[in-house]
Amino acid sequence: LTPGWAASSEERADPRALVRELLPYIPVVLVLLITITRPSQLRDLVLVGLLAAMVALLIARHMLTLADNIRLTAGLEDLVHERTH
């Protein structure tokens, strides 16, 4: 009794999507693990600079993703509104 479009949308899902979403977090986790296991490395300005740059870039990526999701959601809401009228 399920609609035909439900099965086709699951088949179209990209199994690599999760990997692509988590890929930018891997360097941050590695640097954080290094700084946690070796706190003396925090004196290394290059490591601290790389950590700060990665965190800043990750935050910027997250903000751009949120802005894009808000834009797409608004576009879908407008489309639904147009179709209902």
Side-chain angles (χ1 to χ4, degrees):
L1 297 176
T2 60
W5 56 266
S8 64
S9 66
E10 290 176 9
E11 293 171 0
R12 289 184 294 173
D14 188 7
R16 298 170 294 185
L18 180 62
V19 173
R20 281 195 306 263
E21 288 296 319
L22 295 177
L23 197 60
Y25 296 97
I26 292 173
V28 173
V29 170
L30 290 175
V31 172
L32 286 174
L33 285 174
I34 290 171
T35 56
I36 289 171
T37 58
R38 298 180 187 165
S40 62
Q41 293 292 326
L42 288 176
R43 292 187 204 125
D44 185 8
L45 293 179
V46 174
L47 183 62
V48 173
L50 284 175
L51 178 62
M54 281 193 291
V55 169
L57 288 172
L58 200 59
I59 290 171
R61 176 188 181 273
H62 188 70
M63 298 305 280
L64 288 172
T65 302
L66 285 175
D68 195 34
N69 286 343
I70 289 169
R71 183 184 56 82
L72 289 172
T73 302
L76 287 174
E77 288 174 353
D78 292 342
L79 184 64
V80 168
H81 185 67
E82 288 176 14
R83 285 189 177 184
T84 55
H85 286 293

